[in-house]
């Protein structure tokens, strides 16, 4: 039977001792209980915007350096767990790639992960993550309950720690089980007799023991090797590829191996056997066939490779920036994910436009500083301009360092004490500057400078893509707004309301359209449709379709004839896009609706007695597929007060659910609210779609209600 977790009052009464040690001990006990090899606890900053890693067990903190401080909005498991108040389970590497691609790029190993929120009755305190080697499917209910109970215990310990320790104080590192450094004499003698070399490494990659044979094979003194990471002592192992094997073994907790060339011509095979306390490494001369491999040569004047952790840090940030569409997306990603990763408190993205700097976005700077940046011309002798013009990043670790070089620098009173000015260079030309600022003096290590310098190029490319995207969006939106009706006509005997909602993904535009047309002799026509695509072409084609329908309707054609002619026009144009639509002809005197449908969702009718039914219209193919397509007409009798609901599929489609469920939900809302005023009902229906976290499609809605008003 597993360890029982005490009730909340027992936790509260425990107290005493060092709060950090109590938190670390509680985490270690939980890892042992559930069979995980690594875990970490984040606490929530006082402003509720950032998660800070305070305790980590099992792996070096270097492995999670990009995520030491993360925004609560970041797309990573611990942030999702805190925001959604739920257990987040990532069952394997494939699951990680699908749900958290940026994290998968940075840690491409075989492991499973769980994240849980840490909160008590007093509020949110943070989140935690747990790592197992290999793949695990989502756990059963009793395991979930066990993890939740463990998280409740740690939440109280984290609350005690947060109350006793100021935010921002960093832990000194992960607390792993102490490795054995002095093997017993018998074991040492046995190892010395083996023909192969053996060594042990702690969780930070430092050698804690190496056999005489192992040191001889590596060609180095044991005194220099023990206590050091091998890639820092042996130049021929100072390659990210080799360090990556150590990281892979520690994270996946599975054996791995590789071959490396020990100068001048000796190939060695390394077999790594990991555990939560470190790694045992077996070293042997490689088989003869491996010696046929050619060694990669590095010019003597080339700098040593950047550490693997830094490379993965850059990969993570690069994959994060690929998610940005518009300029504001770039600003938000830099502020929410990149800024916390480096511990910065403010950021400004400055873009060069028409001889001046424009503030594309900012976070953390006071308004008057942003105004000063916005007044700079490209000839101003300031560090932000100089970094952009020269293409050389500037790092100022203190105010004294900045003002010694730039006495009149912008931001003398920005409240910051250190700055990184990254030139944004895209396609060989300067496009702006990224300013990262820190409230306290900040020492920029060589590795951090290298990562930030690379990051400047990534941000520049993302900014260039985003500016082009924004320009296309502005053009498409203007086109779409000009083509949709600005107001619905006033028609006796008919009340109408319409709404349009852009999607949340893509260009935020689309080909959804609607129209209401007043016709002679007490009749009217209505159409709603959806052109395939979310771009300028779709918006333009939507305008052509709307114009064609108006023309055919005014000529007196019936519903089937209107769609038949519109389809022929579309196939003749051959735009490479298709469209769906429903056309309705309303005889307001006889109170009869005649409908034709082209691959579009079926309309709904709300009756005055509260019933809601789907109008099953025998439809034809989508417009633009086959030129000679018939569109049958369906006639429906209506009564005063009846409500005809026309919509596009964005209203009923929810990612991950069946569209029939969405249609059922829409019908249920109409049963409940169908007698509301049309504008109020339209707002309620569109608000339910607007609340969706992800909406791939735009939404058009047209509500038509027959009234008792006399029809001339």
């Amino acid at each position: 039977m597993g360890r029982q977790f005490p009730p909340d009052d027992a936790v509260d009464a425990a107290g005493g001792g060092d709060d950090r040690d109590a938190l670390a001990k509680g985490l270690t006990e939980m890892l042992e209980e559930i069979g995980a090899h690594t875990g970490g606890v984040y606490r929530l900053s006082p402003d509720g915007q950032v998660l800070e890693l305070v305790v980590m067990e099992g792996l070096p903190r270097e492995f999670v350096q990009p995520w030491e401080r993360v925004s609560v909005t970041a797309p990573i498991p611990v942030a999702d767990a805190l925001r959604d108040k739920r257990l987040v389970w990532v069952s394997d590497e494939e699951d990680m790639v699908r749900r958290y691609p940026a994290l998968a790029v940075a840690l491409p190993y075989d492991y499973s992960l769980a994240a849980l929120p840490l909160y008590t009755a007093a509020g949110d305190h943070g989140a935690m993550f747990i790592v197992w080697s290999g793949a695990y499917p989502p756990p059963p209910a009793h395991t979930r309950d066990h993890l939740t109970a463990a998280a409740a215990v740690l939440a109280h310990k984290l609350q005690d720690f947060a109350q006793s320790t100021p935010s921002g104080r960093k832990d000194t590192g992960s607390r792993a089980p102490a490795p054995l450094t002095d093997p017993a004499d018998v074991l040492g003698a046995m190892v010395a007799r083996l023909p192969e070399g053996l060594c042990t490494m702690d969780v930070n990659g430092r050698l804690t023991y190496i056999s005489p044979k192992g040191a001889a094979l590596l060609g180095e003194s044991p005194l220099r090797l023990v206590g050091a990471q091998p890639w820092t002592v042996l130049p021929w192992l100072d390659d990210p590829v080799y360090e990556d094997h150590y990281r892979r073994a520690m994270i996946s907790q599975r054996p791995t191996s590789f071959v490396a060339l020990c100068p001048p011509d000796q190939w060695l095979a390394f077999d790594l056997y990991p555990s939560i306390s470190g790694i045992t490494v077996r070293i042997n001369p490689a088989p003869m066939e491996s010696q046929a491999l050619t060694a990669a040569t590095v010019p003597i004047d080339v700098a040593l490779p950047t550490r693997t952790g830094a490379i993965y840090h850059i990969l993570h940030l690069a994959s994060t920036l690929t998610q940005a569409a518009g300029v504001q997306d770039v600003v938000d990603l830099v502020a929410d994910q990149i800024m916390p990763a480096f511990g910065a408190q403010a950021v400004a993205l400055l873009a060069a436009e028409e001889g001046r700097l424009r503030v594309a976005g900012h976070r953390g700077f006071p308004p008057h500083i942003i105004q000063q940046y916005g007044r700079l011309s490209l000839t101003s002798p300031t560090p932000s301009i100089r970094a952009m013009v020269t293409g050389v990043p500037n790092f100022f670790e203190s105010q004294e360092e900045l003002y010694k070089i730039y006495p009149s620098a912008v931001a003398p009173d920005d409240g910051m004490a250190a700055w990184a000015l990254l030139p944004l260079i895209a396609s060989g030309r300067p496009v702006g500057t990224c300013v990262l600022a820190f409230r306290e003096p900040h020492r920029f290590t060589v590795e951090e400078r290298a990562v930030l310098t690379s990051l400047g190029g990534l941000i520049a490319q993302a900014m260039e893509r985003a500016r082009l995207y924004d320009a296309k969006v502005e053009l498409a939106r203007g086109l779409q707004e000009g083509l949709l009706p600005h107001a619905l006509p006033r028609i006796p005997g008919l009340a109408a309301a319409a709404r349009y909602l852009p999607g949340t993904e893509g260009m935020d535009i689309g080909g959804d359209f609607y129209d209401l047309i007043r016709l002679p002799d007490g009749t009217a026509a209505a159409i709603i449709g959806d052109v395939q695509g979310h771009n300028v072409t779709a918006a333009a084609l939507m305008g052509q379709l709307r114009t064609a329908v108006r023309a055919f309707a005014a000529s007196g054609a019936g519903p089937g004839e209107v769609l038949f002619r519109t389809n022929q026009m579309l196939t003749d144009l051959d735009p490479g896009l298709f469209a769906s639509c429903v056309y309705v002809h309303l005889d307001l005197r006889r109170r009869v609706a005649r409908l034709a449908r082209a691959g579009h969702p079926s309309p709904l009718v709300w009756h005055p007695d509260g019933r809601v039914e789907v109008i099953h219209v025998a439809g034809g193919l989508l417009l633009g597929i086959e030129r000679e397509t018939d569109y049958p007409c369906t006639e429906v009798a209506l009564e005063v007060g009846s409500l005809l609901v026309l919509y596009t599929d964005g209203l009923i489609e929810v990612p991950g659910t069946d569209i029939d469920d969405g249609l059922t939900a829409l019908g249920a809302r109409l049963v409940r609210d169908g007698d509301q005023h049309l504008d109020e009902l339209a707002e309620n229906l569109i608000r339910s779609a607007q609340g969706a976290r992800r909406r791939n499609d735009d939404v058009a809605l047209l509500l038509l209600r027959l009234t008792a008003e006399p029809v001339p």
Side-chain angles (χ1 to χ4, degrees):
M1 186 171 179
R3 176 169 61 93
Q4 300 298 308
F5 293 96
D8 290 350
D9 55 354
V11 176
D12 291 336
D18 182 79
D19 292 323
R20 187 186 296 272
D21 289 342
L23 188 60
K25 181 180 178 182
L27 178 60
T28 301
E29 290 175 352
M30 191 193 75
L31 294 177
E32 293 174 353
E33 175 71 18
I34 64 178
H37 66 76
T38 297
V41 174
Y42 286 83
R43 71 169 168 185
L44 190 62
S45 62
D47 61 5
Q49 299 301 310
V50 175
L51 285 169
E52 305 169 333
L53 184 64
V54 293
V55 169
M56 182 170 168
E57 301 293 328
L59 287 174
R61 288 179 70 134
E62 175 195 353
F63 284 25
V64 295
Q65 181 183 359
W67 309 279
E68 285 267 2
R69 288 169 47 86
V70 296
S71 167
V72 294
T73 63
I76 64 173
V78 288
D80 284 351
L82 177 64
R83 288 197 310 269
D84 300 339
K85 291 291 192 302
R86 63 181 176 91
L87 168 66
V88 175
W89 189 276
V90 183
S91 56
D92 54 26
E93 187 175 2
E94 182 179 341
D95 193 21
M96 183 69 77
V97 169
R98 184 174 62 256
R99 297 167 58 190
Y100 301 99
L103 191 61
V105 169
L107 296 172
Y109 307 118
D110 184 18
Y111 63 96
S112 54
L113 178 146
L116 300 96
L118 299 179
Y119 59 92
T120 66
D124 294 336
H125 302 295
M128 65 178 294
F129 70 89
I130 310 159
V131 180
W132 291 265
S133 62
Y136 285 95
H142 70 274
T143 303
R144 290 173 176 266
D145 293 341
H146 194 73
L147 290 173
T148 303
V153 174
L154 284 178
H156 284 275
K157 295 181 184 295
L158 179 59
Q159 181 182 15
D160 295 339
F161 169 74
Q163 292 172 348
S164 64
T165 309
S167 177
R169 173 183 156 191
K170 292 187 176 180
D171 194 7
T172 56
S174 55
R175 296 172 174 78
L180 292 173
T181 56
D182 295 315
D185 292 340
V186 175
L187 181 59
M190 180 192 73
V191 170
R193 288 193 294 268
L194 293 175
E196 57 198 9
L198 290 177
C199 65
T200 59
M201 303 168 68
D202 65 15
V203 295
N204 293 301
R206 293 186 294 265
L207 289 171
T208 56
Y209 168 80
I210 186 165
S211 68
K213 178 65 173 179
L217 287 171
L218 297 180
E220 187 55 79
S221 164
L223 294 178
R224 285 202 64 206
L225 290 170
V226 173
Q229 295 171 320
W231 46 84
T232 64
V233 177
L234 304 171
W236 49 278
L237 282 181
D238 190 14
D239 189 299
V241 171
Y242 303 134
E243 185 185 348
D244 184 64
H245 287 287
Y246 146 72
R247 293 168 60 94
R248 181 180 302 275
M250 286 301 298
I251 291 178
S252 68
Q253 287 290 296
R254 292 186 173 181
T256 187
S257 61
F258 65 91
V259 175
L261 177 63
C262 177
D265 56 5
Q266 176 64 63
W267 286 92
L268 297 177
F270 295 80
D271 298 308
L272 284 64
Y273 302 94
S275 74
I276 61 173
S277 61
I279 295 179
T280 298
V281 183
R282 184 173 63 187
I283 310 170
N284 276 311
M288 292 299 295
E289 57 266 22
S290 297
Q291 297 182 20
L293 300 172
T294 57
T297 58
V298 179
I300 195 168
D301 59 343
V302 173
L304 292 175
T306 303
R307 290 266 55 84
T308 303
I311 291 175
Y312 281 139
H313 197 166
I314 295 173
L315 286 174
H316 168 69
L317 298 176
S319 61
T320 296
L321 285 169
T322 61
Q323 303 168 23
V327 171
Q328 189 56 49
D329 292 335
V330 177
V331 174
D332 291 342
L333 283 170
V334 171
D336 291 340
Q337 299 186 47
I338 294 172
M339 191 171 74
F342 291 93
Q345 283 74 45
V347 65
L349 290 182
L350 312 176
E353 289 185 2
E354 300 178 352
R356 305 192 67 82
L357 275 185
R358 181 180 68 85
V359 180
H362 63 93
R363 188 81 62 82
F365 283 115
H368 70 278
I369 296 298
I370 298 303
Q371 292 174 5
Q372 291 182 51
Y373 276 127
R375 290 195 293 264
L376 292 177
S377 71
L378 298 187
T379 59
S380 302
T382 62
S384 54
I385 298 292
R386 181 170 177 78
M388 181 189 69
V389 172
T390 63
V392 177
N394 289 313
F395 299 95
F396 301 100
E397 299 184 344
S398 65
Q399 290 184 348
E400 292 77 12
E401 199 173 301
L402 171 66
Y403 300 134
K404 181 178 180 180
I405 303 175
Y406 296 97
S408 59
V410 170
D413 56 349
D414 64 359
M416 302 297 163
W419 299 264
L421 305 174
L422 311 176
L424 304 182
I425 309 296
S427 303
R429 63 184 184 84
V431 298
T433 304
C434 174
V435 181
L436 278 176
F438 304 78
R439 290 199 184 98
E440 303 293 335
H442 182 87
R443 180 177 174 272
F444 296 97
T445 65
V446 173
E447 183 174 284
E448 192 173 30
R449 291 177 185 233
V451 173
L452 285 170
T453 300
S454 301
L455 183 59
L458 298 175
I459 295 175
Q461 295 175 32
M463 283 282 288
E464 279 294 272
R465 292 193 305 268
R467 291 167 75 176
L468 290 173
Y469 174 90
D470 284 346
K472 292 172 67 177
V473 167
E474 191 65 28
L475 171 63
R477 280 181 178 164
L479 177 61
Q480 186 179 38
E481 290 173 1
L483 293 174
L484 285 173
H486 296 287
L488 298 177
R490 168 79 174 84
I491 301 176
L494 186 67
R499 295 291 186 274
Y500 174 79
L501 182 67
T504 60
E505 298 186 358
M507 291 184 67
D508 287 348
I509 63 162
D512 285 18
F513 65 97
Y514 59 87
D515 204 357
L516 180 61
I517 309 164
R518 182 170 182 170
L519 298 175
D521 301 324
T523 62
I527 187 168
I528 195 159
D530 185 356
V531 178
Q532 172 196 17
H534 296 79
N535 50 36
V536 176
T537 304
L541 184 59
M542 174 267 285
Q544 291 175 300
L545 285 177
R546 181 169 167 249
T547 302
V549 168
R550 273 187 164 267
F552 296 142
S555 70
E561 183 70 14
V562 169
L563 294 191
F564 178 80
R565 294 183 186 180
T566 304
N567 176 61
Q568 287 191 324
M569 181 208 73
L570 186 57
T571 52
D572 290 342
L573 289 174
D574 191 22
L577 298 176
F578 309 123
S580 69
C581 72
V582 170
Y583 179 86
V584 183
H585 182 273
L586 290 166
D587 187 330
L588 299 174
R589 291 174 180 162
R590 297 175 51 232
R591 298 193 181 102
V592 170
R594 298 171 62 232
L595 304 93
R597 185 169 65 92
H600 198 82
S602 297
L604 299 177
V605 173
W606 177 88
H607 295 281
D609 61 4
R611 291 181 298 112
V612 174
E613 65 174 318
V614 178
I615 302 178
H616 295 289
V617 182
L621 294 174
L622 292 167
L623 302 177
I625 293 181
E626 178 62 48
R627 193 174 192 278
E628 300 299 326
T629 300
D630 291 328
Y631 296 93
C633 183
T634 300
E635 186 171 298
V636 177
L638 301 172
E639 55 185 309
V640 172
S642 295
L643 174 66
L644 186 62
V645 181
L646 307 177
Y647 56 92
T648 56
D649 53 8
L651 186 66
I652 59 174
E653 277 189 336
V654 178
T657 63
D658 191 276
I659 192 169
D660 289 336
D661 295 336
L663 183 59
T664 301
L666 175 59
R669 287 195 296 272
L670 289 172
V671 169
R672 185 182 65 246
D673 303 327
D675 58 350
Q676 290 180 338
H677 186 276
L678 282 191
D679 283 322
E680 183 180 356
L681 177 60
E683 286 296 326
N684 289 338
L685 293 178
I686 212 74
R687 191 179 299 117
S688 64
Q690 200 168 14
R693 189 173 179 183
R694 289 177 60 246
R695 189 176 59 258
N696 300 326
D697 206 355
D698 45 348
V699 179
L701 174 67
L702 182 58
L703 303 179
L704 304 170
R705 173 170 281 153
L706 271 63
T707 68
E709 182 183 6
V711 179

